[in-house]
Amino acid sequence: MQKGSLFVVSAPAGCGKDTILNELLKKTDKAGYAVSATTRAPREGEVNGVHYHFLTREEFERRIAEKEVLEYTEYCGNYYGTLRKSVNDLLNEGKDAILKIEVEGAMNIKKLFPEACLVFILPPSWEVLEKRLRDRGTETEDKIVERTKQAHNEVKFAKNYDYLIVNDELENAVSDLLAVMRAEKLRRARNDELLAQFN
Ligand code: 5GP
């Protein structure tokens, strides 16, 4: 059995990252989402252990001390971190582990696991992203300006990623991501055992 691979997916808010990943996971049972831990409060509809492991700050800090957290960051006043167990459970099942994390976490994962594949999702344009944020109708003008600024900062990191996907059409973006994952599995470096059979 080929061991699962590690995929990191990042995108600024409003780029449709969650929707793309939800659709992708409906189409493949060979990958799973590595559930992160956070100290932020659950949003409506979010389920503990499915969307995040929702922890208190004390519990989160205990897990850091116990080396249960592979990487973590403080984002908008809350801790977010990748749990070693979430990743290992998937990889040991032979599944690809998808980490849905922000840019600094992605850079840390790349340092820890140079073979990880980093994918950045872009909006079709800045204008479209701003429109999407406005159309949500849930944010104040100040928040929209703040999120747009943050998006500009995050996109600066995209040059360090392995693949870029533009989310213009959901279906295209999902099939692009599936194509990236498929191609990664075919890398010679991931298939030494296969090649050894022919030597
Ligand atoms: P949200 O609060 O909207 O769910 O997430 C806020 C940001 O934190 C998103 O960019 C999300 O990708 C990122 N994030 C979620 N989990 C992790 C994690 O485990 N590590 C890091 N570094 N970022 C994360």
Side-chain angles (χ1 to χ4, degrees):
M1 180 177 71
Q2 193 184 30
K3 207 170 172 245
S5 312
L6 207 53
F7 291 89
V8 174
V9 178
S10 306
C15 287
K17 173 180 59 168
D18 291 348
T19 318
I20 293 172
L21 288 176
N22 290 342
E23 285 305 307
L24 179 116
L25 292 175
K26 281 185 204 159
K27 289 180 194 283
T28 175
D29 56 3
K30 296 195 181 81
Y33 163 51
V35 182
S36 289
T38 185
T39 57
R40 82 149 162 76
R43 296 191 188 118
E44 210 183 308
E46 283 185 334
V47 178
N48 191 28
V50 176
H51 298 93
Y52 282 105
H53 295 284
F54 294 100
L55 307 178
T56 60
R57 284 188 86 82
E58 295 70 44
E59 176 63 10
F60 199 104
E61 284 167 0
R62 186 193 68 73
R63 297 213 186 192
I64 296 170
E66 303 277 320
K67 307 238 179 307
E68 292 176 26
V69 183
L70 282 175
E71 63 73 37
Y72 69 96
T73 192
E74 243 182 308
Y75 186 95
C76 299
N78 288 301
Y79 282 133
Y80 290 84
T82 306
L83 296 176
R84 188 185 299 277
K85 186 174 185 318
S86 296
V87 174
N88 284 348
D89 284 354
L90 287 162
L91 297 183
N92 291 337
E93 274 178 58
K95 289 190 176 181
D96 294 331
I98 302 177
L99 274 52
K100 198 170 59 171
I101 65 179
E102 52 66 63
V103 290
E104 280 171 22
M107 299 300 103
N108 289 332
I109 289 290
K110 189 73 181 176
K111 269 185 224 142
L112 283 173
F113 305 98
E115 75 284 6
C117 174
L118 269 50
V119 182
F120 197 93
I121 298 172
L122 289 160
S125 67
W126 287 123
E127 290 71 28
V128 173
L129 181 68
E130 244 185 275
K131 185 173 178 326
R132 283 184 190 164
L133 290 173
R134 264 174 230 288
D135 288 355
R136 280 181 177 180
T138 54
E139 316 260 6
T140 60
E141 186 57 32
D142 278 0
K143 267 262 180 266
I144 291 169
V145 171
E146 189 190 312
R147 284 193 177 262
T148 309
K149 230 194 233 167
Q150 198 176 343
H152 279 264
N153 282 333
E154 286 170 336
V155 169
K156 289 193 186 120
F157 285 81
K159 64 176 188 296
N160 303 315
Y161 281 63
D162 299 303
Y163 293 92
L164 301 176
I165 292 178
V166 177
N167 185 14
D168 48 0
E169 281 286 335
L170 175 62
E171 225 172 282
N172 292 343
V174 173
S175 73
D176 283 349
L177 187 51
L178 278 168
V180 164
M181 294 177 76
R182 209 170 139 73
E184 280 297 304
K185 309 300 285 179
L186 304 177
R187 270 190 190 280
R188 197 273 309 145
R190 292 192 200 274
N191 290 284
D192 282 344
E193 278 175 34
L194 172 67
L195 207 50
Q197 292 174 27
F198 293 87
N199 286 332

